[in-house]
């Protein structure tokens, strides 16, 4: 995988209370590109952070339906990945681990 693709796979950390609780169990949550695969996500995390990845779980979050004055609309959906690091590995500079 080329260097340019590495930076396009991971869009950023997904910072929520649930992500902070997952970080205690060595699991970190990232928003990823809609066409990213598990091997690409694993390679990107290992290359960018220099940590060994144990497993990757990916899920699609559907956009919410919202009612407005002009009818109904649909928010944009996104894709996120739960990345489990190997035992003894942590991401110190990860903003969701606070």
């Amino acid at each position: 995988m080329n260097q340019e693709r590495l930076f396009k796979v991971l869009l950023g950390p997904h910072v929520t209370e649930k992500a902070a609780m997952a970080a205690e169990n060595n699991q970190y949550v990232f928003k990823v590109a809609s066409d990213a695969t598990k091997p690409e996500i694993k390679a990107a995390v290992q290359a960018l952070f220099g940590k060994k990845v144990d497993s990757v779980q990916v899920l699609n979050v559907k956009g919410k339906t919202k009612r407005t004055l002009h009818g109904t609309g649909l928010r944009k959906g996104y894709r996120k990945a739960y990345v489990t690091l190997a035992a003894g590995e942590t991401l110190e500079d990860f903003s969701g681990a606070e």
Side-chain angles (χ1 to χ4, degrees):
M1 183 157 68
N2 61 4
Q3 193 71 16
E4 184 180 344
R5 178 68 179 154
L6 284 177
F7 291 107
K8 290 185 178 180
V9 170
L10 295 179
L11 301 179
H14 187 69
V15 183
T16 60
E17 287 183 27
K18 186 175 178 182
M21 287 190 301
E24 295 173 2
N25 297 325
N26 227 16
Q27 224 177 22
Y28 299 93
V29 187
F30 295 95
K31 282 190 178 180
V32 295
S34 61
D35 60 344
T37 62
K38 287 183 180 184
E40 285 179 336
I41 296 167
K42 182 176 181 176
V45 171
Q46 288 179 345
L48 295 175
F49 295 103
K51 305 292 183 179
K52 181 161 174 30
V53 174
D54 194 27
S55 67
V56 176
Q57 294 175 320
V58 180
L59 60 104
N60 295 320
V61 180
K62 294 187 178 186
K64 292 182 178 181
T65 304
K66 291 292 179 179
R67 290 177 50 199
T68 65
L69 180 65
H70 304 291
T72 59
L74 188 68
R75 281 190 185 167
K76 206 172 161 185
Y78 58 94
R79 187 170 167 100
K80 66 180 177 178
Y82 285 86
V83 177
T84 305
L85 298 181
E89 300 273 358
T90 58
L91 294 179
E92 296 82 17
D93 53 347
F94 192 75
S95 61
E98 295 176 348

